[in-house]
Amino acid sequence: MAGTEVSVALLGGFALSVDHRTVPLVHSAQRLVAFLTLINRPVRREPLAEVLWPGCGQRRAAANLRSSLWRMRQSCAELLDAGERLVVLRPDVVVDVWRAAGEARRMLADPAPADDTITGHLRDDLSADVLPDWSDEWVLAERERYRQLRLHALDMMCELLTRSGRYGEAIDIGLVAVRAEPLRESAHRALVRAHLAEGNVAEAIRQYNRCRRVLHDELGIEPSPRLRELLVAIRR
């Protein structure tokens, strides 16, 4: 149907919507859509069935794929193109992880003032993991790839917001980054800088001490000179 907007969400959990109305799918159909979304290219039916239904045998896996494709056509005919050999997500489908990854890469490649690059959508998207409750191998690989991208983007976002004087937002993003990976010193460092820029020395020291404890307890190491120097400067 002309003008129909089909959206797939993978960040924080799976959701399919058509014109902003949720379309329920059984889990096997969700896995089919999620795989095609993450791989983002046409896939031959045989390997697609083998990945999604491992251990079922070729004939049974192929039958499961046909059944899932039939269900998809009944639920949302605008979502997939399924030919005799290839299956692919339609190019006009809106996908949250594609959008977030694209915006994050643009921000990292060419940091601009926070007012120009940071949207509410991007903040929300970078706060979530790809299908966090799923354990399929193909999900784990893509989740880690997106996780690394979002951690770098969160660090950069915190820095950009700090430079723009939006300290509350910078601290909020910094805390998201630290929660996402407590052992990542660059996240702690960006958060300490935000506290210092706002003039909250005590908060900066508290954050430094949290970082120091977690690094010592988990890895048996001390913070790097780059982080220590931030606090040395204010004690001179």
Side-chain angles (χ1 to χ4, degrees), residues 104-233:
R105 290 190 183 101
R106 283 191 292 274
M107 181 174 62
L108 291 168
D110 184 21
D115 290 341
D116 298 333
T117 59
I118 297 175
T119 64
H121 265 309
L122 184 57
R123 284 195 294 268
D124 292 342
D125 289 345
L126 293 179
S127 299
D129 268 327
V130 173
L131 300 172
D133 298 326
W134 293 28
S135 58
D136 303 83
E137 287 294 330
W138 48 271
V139 174
L140 298 178
E142 292 302 319
R143 182 188 301 153
E144 180 59 22
R145 190 159 71 99
Y146 179 73
R147 175 179 169 276
Q148 289 298 325
L149 175 63
R150 81 181 185 94
L151 290 174
H152 283 90
L154 286 168
D155 288 352
M156 177 61 73
M157 188 182 293
C158 184
E159 295 282 358
L160 292 174
L161 288 165
T162 299
R163 292 179 206 167
S164 296
R166 294 162 62 179
Y167 303 122
E169 294 172 83
I171 290 165
D172 182 58
I173 289 295
L175 290 169
V176 170
V178 168
R179 283 196 299 271
E181 180 46 85
L183 298 176
R184 186 179 175 86
E185 188 184 293
S186 60
H188 291 277
R189 192 164 59 241
L191 187 50
V192 168
R193 285 199 189 101
H195 284 307
L196 290 175
E198 195 176 22
N200 290 324
V201 175
E203 291 288 353
I205 293 172
R206 273 194 285 270
Q207 188 60 45
Y208 171 84
N209 287 333
R210 292 187 193 105
C211 177
R212 185 179 183 183
R213 280 196 301 273
V214 73
L215 291 179
H216 180 270
D217 293 347
E218 297 294 329
L219 302 177
I221 62 174
E222 290 294 314
S224 72
R226 289 183 67 188
L227 180 53
R228 293 199 303 270
E229 285 167 5
L230 291 177
L231 297 186
V232 168

Side-chain angles (χ1 to χ4, degrees), residues 46-59:
E46 295 84 355
L48 177 59
E50 290 173 5
V51 168
L52 295 177
W53 291 277
C56 286
Q58 188 174 12
R59 293 181 64 182

